[in-house]
Amino acid sequence: MPAQPTLSEVIAALDTLWPRDRAEQWDAVGTVCGDVSDPQARVSRVLFAVDPVQQVADEAVATGAELLVTHHPLYLRGTTTVAADTFKGRVVHTLIRNGVALHVAHTNADTADPGVSDALAGALGLRVLRPLVPDPTDPAGRRGLGRICELERPLPLGDLLERAAAALPVTAQGLRAAGDPAMPVATIAVCGGSGDSLFETVRAAGVDAYLTADLRHHPASEAREHSPLALLDAAHFATEWPWCEQAAAQLDAVAEREGWDLRTEVSHTVTDPWTAHAPSLPQESPLSRPATAQQTAPTDHDLTPGAPN
């Protein structure tokens, strides 16, 4: 009969999947709260999510999870308090009071095999060829940041944009693109999370397009001036949420192999901070006069608080 694993056993499995020593030096990964040394601490349910915010902590409690695994750290920088009158302290108090441990896999999950960008590529139906920035410590050449991918057949940029918008979680931002919508895209680099620091590497890879998140005006403008590289910009949350499903499946495989009575769930709570979007509308002179209230009022279609597809 399957037995419930201890918290220590599950954390050890997570550390095998995403070793802490592969995280960037500035990162804050690993177990944030939870008594791993307690042999009585058992885990029957694990919830995976992107952000360790209060809404997700409450969801972990409501679903009966004894372990919450998030991609983003709760405490990325130093702190002097976990007081419950701070929002991060309130998260910690909520979790500890209800017997829920918190574990983080961040940059060690970004570069893993499979990693965050593999999950992003999989959501879009792309074939992964190799890492965008290979990990020099991996002799197999499979680990690293970002992924270089190819489509099963070339698609116009506009069609690829629509495919990505349909495949990724619904957010207020949606997706935007830079480039001729009719240009054919056969190869594409993807990087879950903020990826505008990798433009030079992407250009060197010779791909047709680059999909990432948090693209800023100046880096994106300069990238377009450097080359005809097409850009697709999605919400940060949206590009990393597919990893939650991939990570849950990886832990499921461990549980099956070990004979554990363990259930994984993925949070569908949208924790992207943006909640509404109003598209720019055509007008006679957008720089000389303000739009009217009637022109700028968003429709129900434009307001997309949604949940992951």
Side-chain angles (χ1 to χ4, degrees), residues 47 49-61 68-75 86-92 94-95 100 102 104 237 267 269-273:
L47 179 67
V50 174
D51 296 298
V53 294
Q54 186 63 44
Q55 191 175 2
V56 170
D58 292 339
E59 181 181 358
V61 173
L68 170 62
V69 179
T70 65
H71 181 53
H72 289 151
L74 179 63
Y75 290 105
T86 64
F87 89 86
K88 293 186 178 184
R90 188 164 64 254
V91 168
V92 171
T94 298
L95 295 175
V100 183
L102 172 61
V104 173
F237 165 84
S267 173
T269 299
V270 176
T271 53
D272 185 77

Side-chain angles (χ1 to χ4, degrees), residues 9-187:
E9 289 174 321
V10 178
I11 295 298
L14 300 181
D15 282 337
T16 298
L17 292 170
W18 311 292
R20 303 184 200 194
D21 61 3
R22 290 184 186 155
E24 296 290 337
Q25 290 187 347
W26 51 262
D27 206 359
V29 302
T31 305
V32 178
C33 66
D35 190 353
V36 180
S37 65
D38 181 3
Q40 301 304 314
R42 300 277 172 173
V43 179
S44 63
R45 185 168 299 185
V46 181
L47 179 67
F48 285 84
V50 174
D51 296 298
V53 294
Q54 186 63 44
Q55 191 175 2
V56 170
D58 292 339
E59 181 181 358
V61 173
T63 58
E66 296 91 359
L67 175 60
L68 170 62
V69 179
T70 65
H71 181 53
H72 289 151
L74 179 63
Y75 290 105
L76 185 56
R77 295 174 178 83
T79 186
T80 59
T81 179
V82 291
D85 60 356
T86 64
F87 89 86
K88 293 186 178 184
R90 188 164 64 254
V91 168
V92 171
H93 279 257
T94 298
L95 295 175
I96 293 177
R97 184 167 57 246
N98 291 279
V100 183
L102 172 61
H103 188 86
V104 173
H106 190 211
T107 54
N108 48 333
D110 286 332
T111 59
D113 172 31
V116 170
S117 293
D118 289 295
L120 175 58
L124 272 60
L126 306 174
R127 177 173 173 262
V128 173
L129 301 177
R130 60 188 184 276
L132 176 61
V133 183
D135 180 346
T137 69
D138 177 22
R142 297 179 59 87
R143 293 198 308 266
L145 187 62
R147 295 294 185 267
I148 297 174
C149 311
E150 65 179 6
L151 285 75
E152 72 280 4
R153 59 181 177 83
L155 282 179
L157 175 61
D159 290 357
L160 179 59
L161 182 68
E162 291 184 2
R163 176 196 284 195
L168 295 179
V170 175
T171 61
Q173 172 183 323
L175 275 86
R176 54 186 181 174
D180 181 353
M183 72 168 285
V185 176
T187 57

Side-chain angles (χ1 to χ4, degrees), residues 267-305:
S267 173
H268 284 68
T269 299
V270 176
T271 53
D272 185 77
W274 307 107
T275 58
H277 169 71
S280 300
L281 300 177
Q283 50 188 322
E284 293 179 4
S285 179
L287 299 182
S288 62
R289 65 178 178 84
T292 65
Q294 180 179 7
Q295 287 174 314
T296 59
T299 66
D300 290 341
H301 176 71
D302 298 325
L303 301 178
T304 54

